[in-house]
């Protein structure tokens, strides 16, 4: 097997003083922190679609990067992609990957042929995993690119399209289980609508839930013990996507009785498209017990679409990792780079430079988040801010010992309470974050 990136050495950790662009400054995979290596805290994953297939094609122009992996034949290319991906993961010390079925192996003339060709690639992946120790984080089915999904997949008005999507999902779950994946993702790319004038929203949502229940039943029946995920996104490609944001998805999961099997896969850029911060979406997931996995990219808030940039904003990675640590760290989930290099960053080296930038930003965020917790000033401030709930009337309310009548009597006796309030100290807290970050 030939080397695809002969000019790229295995990327080493050289520390923050290093100016070598092909070295990690913060990600030190084997450094033991809190009893386990950094690589296990971060659980980085390569995304098959952007890294192995994304060639820079956009609405205004053709690709700029060569992602043919030396093969013109699509079947041979699928295998070459596997070899190239495992070389990238090895050189970057990335332990996991994620896939869409059709990015592993394209769509052929019939579903039967597509399935058969996918099986062969999955068998090859299983061999490579065995030889290298790399693992599958999650799998998913690409139920949004083919014209048959123009009106949706699980939410299509056509029952035949629903059945086709179900068949595709069954196969993608088979592949995920065979490769030992610990997650299966639903991202509803076309599960939404353009106009309510042609849409039966109630039926579409009921059907989406039916499909998810079938996926859970099937997955569990063949031994899948991992988590199913919904990945919220408010829009793009549809004008209104049903899985708008974390809170909307929680409502859906609870309404349809799916909360036992599903967690959330939060994507940073999807959060900002929903007009939330990344931290907000993670916090909603965590505080409701639905924290699962993360698609770690960043958007450009001056643009209104999903730019899927490699993350470099350390404030965001720090606040993200704070949520991850407070959730107790990753279990079945991890940090997937659902990110692509900019169209102008088209050389093979850019794949490595982009991942180094993103991985270092998250490693730095992880170190900063640990330090924020150890520093304790912010947590103490928050605990003090809610101290009134620990004793007296606050404790009584929480214990269910009061009602509106009792509280009315209490308030009448107590009189005006505005003087008991203390400052929210937002500016001071933001400066504590700076203080901790810049003294790392
Ligand atoms: C698209 C997106 C998807 C999912 C997987 O915005 O994020 O690539 O991560 O289907
Ligand atoms: Co994503």
């Amino acid at each position: 097997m030939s080397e695809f990136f002969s000019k790229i050495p295995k990327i080493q950790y050289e520390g923050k003083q290093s100016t070598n662009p092909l070295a990690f400054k913060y990600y030190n995979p084997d450094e033991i922190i809190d009893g386990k290596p950094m690589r296990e805290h971060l659980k980085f994953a390569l995304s098959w679609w952007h890294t192995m297939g994304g060639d820079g094609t956009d609405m205004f122009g053709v690709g700029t990067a060569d992602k043919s992996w030396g093969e013109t034949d699509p079947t041979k290319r699928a295998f070459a992609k596997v070899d190239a991906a495992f070389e990238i993961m090895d050189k970057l010390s990335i332990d996991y990957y994620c896939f869409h079925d059709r990015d592993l192996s394209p769509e052929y003339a019939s579903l039967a042929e597509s399935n058969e060709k996918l099986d062969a690639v999955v068998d090859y992946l299983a061999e490579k995993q065995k030889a290298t120790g790399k693992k599958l984080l999650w799998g998913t089915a690409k139920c949004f690119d083919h014209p048959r999904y123009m009106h949706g997949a699980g939410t299509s008005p056509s029952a035949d399209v629903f059945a086709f999507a179900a068949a595709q999902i069954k196969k993608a779950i088979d592949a995920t289980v065979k490769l030992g994946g610990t997650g299966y993702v639903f991202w509803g790319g076309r599960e939404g609508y353009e106009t309510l004038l042609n849409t039966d929203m109630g039926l579409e949502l009921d059907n989406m839930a039916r499909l998810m229940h079938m996926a859970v039943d099937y997955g569990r029946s063949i031994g899948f013990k991992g988590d199913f995920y919904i990945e919220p996104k408010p829009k793009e490609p549809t004008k209104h996507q049903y899985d708008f944001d974390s809170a909307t998805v929680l409502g859906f999961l609870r309404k349809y009785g799916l909360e036992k099997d599903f967690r959330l896969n939060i994507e940073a850029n999807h959060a900002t498209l929903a007009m939330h911060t990344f931290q907000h979406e993670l916090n909603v997931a965590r505080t409701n017990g639905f924290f699962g996995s993360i698609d770690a990219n960043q958007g450009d808030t001056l643009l209104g679409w999903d730019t899927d940039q490699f993350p470099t904003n350390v404030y965001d990675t720090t606040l993200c990792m704070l949520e991850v640590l407070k959730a107790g760290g990753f279990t079945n989930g991890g940090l997937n780079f659902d990110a692509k290099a900019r169209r102008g960053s088209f050389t093979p080296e850019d794949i490595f430079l982009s991942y180094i930038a993103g991985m270092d930003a998250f490693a730095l965020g992880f170190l900063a988040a640990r330090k924020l917790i150890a520093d304790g000033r912010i947590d103490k401030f928050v605990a003090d801010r809610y101290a009134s709930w620990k004793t007296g009337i606050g404790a009584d309310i929480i214990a269910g010992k009061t009602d509106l009548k009792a509280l009315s009597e209490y308030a009448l006796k107590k009189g005006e309470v505005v003087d008991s309030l203390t400052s929210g100290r937002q500016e001071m807290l933001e400066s504590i974050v700076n203080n901790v970050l810049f003294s790392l």
Side-chain angles (χ1 to χ4, degrees):
M1 186 209 328
S2 59
E3 201 180 355
F4 288 88
F5 306 95
S6 54
K7 286 201 217 118
I8 308 284
K10 179 145 180 143
I11 306 300
Q12 305 292 342
Y13 167 74
E14 291 185 5
K16 63 182 176 187
Q17 310 304 341
S18 171
T19 55
N20 174 5
L22 288 172
F24 291 118
K25 321 294 182 295
Y26 300 98
Y27 178 54
N28 189 5
D30 296 317
E31 183 183 341
I32 305 291
I33 297 178
D34 299 334
K36 60 179 182 183
M38 214 192 228
R39 63 199 313 149
E40 284 176 29
H41 284 284
L42 292 161
K43 290 186 71 180
F44 288 132
L46 167 145
S47 75
W48 216 262
W49 50 107
H50 291 317
T51 306
M52 308 319 298
D55 65 1
T57 301
D58 71 11
M59 307 264 271
F60 304 96
V62 297
T64 55
D66 179 6
K67 295 283 177 80
S68 65
W69 308 110
E71 300 289 353
T72 45
D73 173 68
T75 304
K76 285 192 185 148
R77 180 177 298 162
F79 286 88
K81 264 185 179 178
V82 175
D83 291 332
F86 275 72
E87 187 183 331
I88 295 170
M89 287 190 272
D90 174 50
K91 288 187 167 167
L92 283 164
S93 302
I94 294 175
D95 297 332
Y96 297 85
Y97 66 98
C98 305
F99 68 77
H100 292 107
D101 51 357
R102 299 297 177 243
D103 293 319
L104 289 182
S105 174
E107 182 132 356
Y108 292 88
S110 69
L111 181 60
E113 190 185 356
S114 300
N115 284 347
E116 200 182 300
K117 291 277 178 70
L118 178 63
D119 279 339
V121 176
V122 168
D123 287 345
Y124 189 48
L125 281 163
E127 267 174 45
K128 296 284 280 195
Q129 285 186 199
K130 215 163 153 212
T132 62
K134 302 289 175 205
K135 293 179 218 132
L136 175 66
L137 189 66
W138 52 257
T140 186
K142 206 172 205 176
C143 292
F144 47 84
D145 63 338
H146 191 279
R148 82 175 70 83
Y149 298 125
M150 68 174 78
H151 302 308
T155 62
S156 174
S158 157
D160 280 342
V161 170
F162 181 100
F164 203 105
Q168 207 180 313
I169 289 166
K170 173 187 175 292
K171 192 75 195 163
I173 294 175
D174 287 337
T176 302
V177 172
K178 176 148 198 200
L179 295 170
T182 52
Y184 184 85
V185 167
F186 283 88
W187 168 64
R190 300 207 188 263
E191 315 293 17
Y193 64 81
E194 299 298 326
T195 171
L196 286 173
L197 293 174
N198 65 13
T199 301
D200 182 342
M201 197 199 295
L203 177 65
E204 291 200 0
L205 285 166
D206 289 352
N207 284 344
M208 194 66 231
R210 287 186 177 102
L211 185 59
M212 289 180 178
H213 271 291
M214 289 181 206
V216 170
D217 291 347
Y218 179 70
R220 299 305 181 213
S221 79
I222 61 163
F224 178 61
K225 301 221 166 24
D227 292 320
F228 288 87
Y229 300 114
I230 292 186
E231 184 179 320
K233 185 174 184 182
K235 57 185 171 184
E236 195 200 23
T238 53
K239 175 173 121 177
H240 178 94
Q241 268 170 227
Y242 291 136
D243 47 17
F244 193 95
D245 60 1
S246 293
T248 310
V249 171
L250 292 191
F252 172 87
L253 292 174
R254 286 171 175 149
K255 173 177 176 190
Y256 291 103
L258 289 158
E259 66 270 35
K260 196 167 60 62
D261 296 282
F262 275 79
R263 296 283 169 272
L264 301 187
N265 183 42
I266 307 287
E267 179 162 325
N269 200 169
H270 297 180
T272 44
L273 282 175
M275 307 294 273
H276 299 307
T277 61
F278 187 19
Q279 190 190 12
H280 168 94
E281 287 293 84
L282 290 162
N283 194 284
V284 170
R286 173 171 72 81
T287 55
N288 283 282
F290 282 82
F291 170 74
S293 204
I294 294 179
D295 274 9
N297 55 17
Q298 70 185 25
D300 185 324
T301 46
L302 295 183
L303 300 173
W305 63 89
D306 194 7
T307 57
D308 282 326
Q309 292 169 224
F310 274 89
T312 49
N313 182 323
V314 179
Y315 285 96
D316 283 348
T317 60
T318 299
L319 297 175
C320 165
M321 289 312 295
L322 197 58
E323 291 298 324
V324 174
L325 290 175
K326 290 194 169 181
F330 291 114
T331 51
N332 286 330
L335 270 170
N336 163 42
F337 285 100
D338 189 8
K340 50 193 172 205
R342 297 301 81 200
R343 190 166 182 268
S345 305
F346 65 97
T347 71
E349 293 79 42
D350 283 301
I351 296 175
F352 292 86
L353 296 169
S354 309
Y355 269 99
I356 291 168
M359 293 163 77
D360 262 346
F362 264 96
L364 189 50
F366 167 62
L367 297 172
R370 282 182 74 251
K371 240 188 129 190
L372 275 175
I373 292 171
D375 176 90
R377 278 177 285 174
I378 293 181
D379 282 339
K380 177 166 187 316
F381 182 86
V382 175
D384 289 348
R385 189 164 184 245
Y386 293 90
S388 71
W389 295 93
K390 292 271 188 281
T391 56
I393 195 72
D396 286 351
I397 295 171
I398 286 179
K401 289 188 191 156
T402 53
D403 56 18
L404 276 193
K405 222 165 124 251
L407 290 176
S408 167
E409 280 160 24
Y410 175 87
L412 282 168
K413 210 185 291 165
K414 183 119 195 155
E416 183 49 59
V417 290
V418 67
D419 288 343
S420 69
L421 294 178
T422 53
S423 166
R425 299 260 194 269
Q426 180 173 338
E427 299 75 6
M428 179 193 81
L429 296 165
E430 287 170 353
S431 86
I432 292 174
V433 174
N434 283 347
N435 178 232
V436 168
L437 260 171
F438 290 95
S439 57
L440 266 176

